[in-house]
Amino acid sequence: MPNALKKRKIAVLGPRSVGKSSLVKQFIENHFQDSYYPTIESTFAKSVVYKGVEYDCHIIDTAGQDEYSPINAQYAIGIHGYVLVYSITSKNSFNMIQIIHDKIVDFCGVSKIPCVIVGSKCDLSIQRQVDSKDGEQLAKENDCAWIETSAKNNINVGKVFELCLHEIERNTKPNQAEPPAKSCVVM
Ligand SMILES: Nc1nc2c(ncn2[C@@H]2O[C@H](COP(=O)(O)OP(=O)(O)OP(=O)(O)O)[C@@H](O)[C@H]2O)c(=O)[nH]1
């Protein structure tokens, strides 16, 4: 029997066209489309039961970032956890992940964020430019989770959000009832 409903806000960030919207849509709506429509921003809600606890998840699908994109305050304030997506078919997108991660950490003024690094489009292994071990290593260096997914073939899609909930809980102090949503100081 699930316990009380806990609200968790998760932001999905990454470079353009890596499959952020496809991942979120597969998770929320159980479908995949081949056509590409650049995202401005969309928020989705889904109730997820993880380890017997029901979470009311709000997932923010964001516009693709490049190295010059500033971190929008909306993606830092009130966010409990992050999903950072690169495509296994693009080394450039992988190289952006550390940059985006560090921008969030700087913006929030924290040393660490609850985060899952996702290597998307793993069905396109013939076009692979990023080794799994490099993804794993990056996650290890940043003390976060890592997984490869295919929104197209629905591989590991639900697992991404379970890992994110796990990372959020892992970053909650034992005597703290609720994890603090990341916030920042107004100067
Ligand atoms: N083969 C394959 N293609 C994918 C997968 N996920 C996404 N795509 C394709 O990649 C393209 C971009 O996907 P989107 O989900 O729109 O990417 P995005 O990261 O949300 O893009 P932005 O809105 O620009 O940030 C689309 O043509 C998708 O069909 C996948 O798992 N496998």
Side-chain angles (χ1 to χ4, degrees):
M1 186 76 172
N3 297 324
L5 205 69
K6 296 178 173 193
K7 193 167 177 173
R8 296 289 181 264
K9 250 179 145 179
I10 295 170
V12 181
L13 285 97
R16 286 191 192 106
S17 194
V18 292
K20 299 179 295 299
S21 302
S22 302
L23 181 78
V24 173
K25 280 197 185 118
Q26 182 59 267
F27 182 59
I28 302 282
E29 297 166 0
N30 298 104
H31 79 92
F32 173 79
Q33 64 188 40
D34 270 311
S35 39
Y36 170 49
Y37 302 101
T39 310
I40 298 173
E41 188 191 299
S42 311
T43 300
F44 301 86
K46 180 165 171 149
S47 162
V48 179
V49 179
Y50 176 60
K51 291 193 174 169
V53 179
E54 190 172 3
Y55 294 91
D56 176 20
C57 294
H58 288 235
I59 298 164
I60 304 166
D61 178 21
T62 67
Q65 296 244 321
D66 62 31
E67 53 191 309
Y68 305 108
S69 312
I71 288 295
N72 185 329
Q74 250 177 295
Y75 309 153
I77 298 167
I79 301 295
H80 294 101
Y82 293 88
V83 173
L84 302 186
V85 185
Y86 65 92
S87 164
I88 67 147
T89 66
S90 161
K91 186 79 178 168
N92 285 343
S93 74
F94 178 69
N95 293 337
M96 275 295 299
I97 296 299
Q98 187 69 60
I99 295 170
I100 296 171
H101 175 278
D102 293 350
K103 276 195 215 174
I104 300 167
V105 163
D106 283 354
F107 191 99
C108 295
V110 292
S111 56
K112 179 176 172 1
I113 48 170
C115 172
V116 184
I117 295 175
V118 174
S120 68
K121 308 192 189 182
C122 72
D123 57 289
L124 298 176
S125 54
I126 198 144
Q127 297 171 35
R128 183 184 279 276
Q129 291 185 2
V130 184
D131 280 350
S132 302
K133 65 172 174 32
D134 292 337
E136 249 176 317
Q137 180 60 28
L138 181 66
K140 205 169 164 191
E141 284 164 14
N142 289 286
D143 190 23
C144 51
W146 168 84
I147 196 164
E148 287 186 352
T149 63
S150 166
K152 184 169 186 168
N153 293 349
N154 198 5
I155 297 169
N156 287 339
V157 171
K159 189 91 179 114
V160 168
F161 296 93
E162 286 185 7
L163 282 173
C164 194
L165 290 171
H166 176 80
E167 288 301 303
I168 294 167
E169 301 314 309
R170 188 166 77 84
N171 284 272
T172 307
K173 294 188 189 105
N175 57 354
Q176 192 180 311
E178 283 292 287
K182 295 292 165 234
S183 57
C184 63
V185 177
V186 177
M187 312 271 287

